[in-house]
Amino acid sequence: MSDSQTAAIPLTTTSEHHITRIGLIVVTATLLVVLLALPLVVVFAEALRRGVPAVLAALAQPDAIAAIQLSLLVAAISVPLNTVFGVTAAWSIGRFHFAGRSLLITLIELPFSVSPVISGLVWVLLFGANGWLGPLLDRAGLPIVFALPGLVLATVFVTFPFVARTLIPLMQSQGATEEEAAITLGATGWQTFCHVTLPNIRWALLYGVLLCNARAMGEFGAVAVVSGHIRGQTMTMPLQIEALFNDYDWIGAFTIAGLLSLLALVTLAVKAALEWRIGERSGALL
């Protein structure tokens, strides 16, 4: 083989790699435009088709206000509950070895593999009018299904893995050296958590809370099953969008969809900032 033929081989290989890279970038960019950018453009364009006054009028509707308030209330209850659970679970799994540890991890990941609709049906079977505990709760004046408690339970179930699964790998990788040192120096358990553990996990905790909140605000399947679709009472924002769309109220449906889209964009921006901050801290620790 001549020198010219030998020199041509790496050039050809480099050219092929260059073409492959460009092709992958083009395919990825096309998918992003088709699957993400275009739907967002359509949502905002349809919402603003009749101008800003029509958007404001749609947001001023009593059912729309009730749906927004209910979504915020459900998220305000569900996210703190899942935050407490996630931190507790991550602390237990990341710091201790105990019987049933693997089972606990499996249960935490269960909502990722179970359809939200199925989880909603479980609550109906348990707390519905003909369910196992429904008649007893109704006689006690404690309705669960078709009321706020049912919406909260359904939302908590589908969102509780986010905080825990964000914190568990981090706490396992960090180890307990700093906490053991603090305890050795006389710190109490609460002092150790507040001054050592929490500062080390704060960015990852915010990341998990952010994802948990985004899922809580946008959950449809589980909430749809337990809500009863009572307008002005048990309709969250995703359910209100469906109801308005079925009523051919395009402006109202796309206006609320635009709110959820704005939430998604803000979530992505904050998520990117938190990922950068977590990566920066991890690099500093290394």
Side-chain angles (χ1 to χ4, degrees):
M1 183 179 294
S2 63
D3 294 339
S4 60
Q5 291 175 327
T6 303
I9 294 176
L11 291 176
T12 303
T13 304
T14 302
S15 177
E16 291 176 352
H17 288 171
H18 183 66
I19 294 174
T20 302
R21 183 171 65 254
I22 293 177
L24 291 174
I25 292 173
V26 170
V27 170
T28 303
T30 302
L31 289 175
L32 287 175
V33 170
V34 173
L35 299 179
L36 295 179
L38 285 180
L40 286 174
V41 170
V42 170
V43 167
F44 291 116
E46 288 294 327
L48 295 169
R49 184 170 57 179
R50 296 181 183 174
V52 175
V55 172
L56 297 178
L59 291 176
Q61 294 295 319
D63 288 348
I65 295 174
I68 294 171
Q69 291 176 340
L70 183 60
S71 294
L72 293 174
L73 178 60
V74 171
I77 297 173
S78 304
V79 173
L81 289 176
N82 282 327
T83 300
V84 174
F85 169 80
V87 173
T88 304
W91 178 293
S92 301
I93 294 171
R95 295 292 184 266
F96 307 103
H97 293 275
F98 52 89
R101 183 170 177 268
S102 299
L103 177 61
L104 178 58
I105 295 175
T106 302
L107 292 177
I108 290 173
E109 296 176 345
L110 183 63
F112 287 143
S113 58
V114 175
S115 169
V117 175
I118 295 176
S119 68
L121 287 174
V122 170
W123 299 122
V124 172
L125 291 175
L126 285 175
F127 303 118
N130 298 318
W132 292 1
L133 303 176
L136 179 63
L137 293 172
D138 286 339
R139 286 194 295 270
L142 297 173
I144 302 297
V145 177
F146 306 154
L148 177 62
L151 300 178
V152 172
L153 285 174
T155 304
V156 166
F157 179 83
V158 298
T159 58
F160 82 81
F162 289 96
V163 175
R165 289 306 302 169
T166 302
L167 293 179
I168 289 172
L170 176 64
M171 297 187 75
Q172 286 177 331
S173 64
Q174 286 180 344
T177 304
E178 294 183 16
E179 295 167 354
E180 291 172 353
I183 293 174
T184 301
L185 293 174
T188 63
W190 181 250
Q191 289 173 331
T192 301
F193 174 78
C194 291
H195 297 287
V196 179
T197 304
L198 189 58
N200 287 336
I201 66 171
R202 64 182 183 276
W203 297 112
L205 177 60
L206 288 174
Y207 184 86
V209 169
L210 176 73
L211 296 180
C212 181
N213 180 72
R215 178 64 185 274
M217 293 289 292
E219 175 56 31
F220 179 86
V223 171
V225 175
V226 301
S227 71
H229 292 80
I230 305 173
R231 296 203 180 195
Q233 298 183 33
T234 63
M235 299 276 282
T236 58
M237 292 172 67
L239 301 183
Q240 184 69 13
I241 293 171
E242 181 196 35
L244 292 173
F245 191 83
N246 291 335
D247 292 342
Y248 302 102
D249 185 354
W250 311 116
I251 302 299
F254 282 105
T255 295
I256 299 179
L259 286 180
L260 288 179
S261 299
L262 286 175
L263 173 64
L265 292 175
V266 172
T267 299
L268 287 175
V270 178
K271 177 176 176 288
L274 289 174
E275 286 177 342
W276 172 81
R277 187 65 182 84
I278 293 170
E280 183 182 59
R281 178 170 176 80
S282 299
L285 291 176
L286 292 176

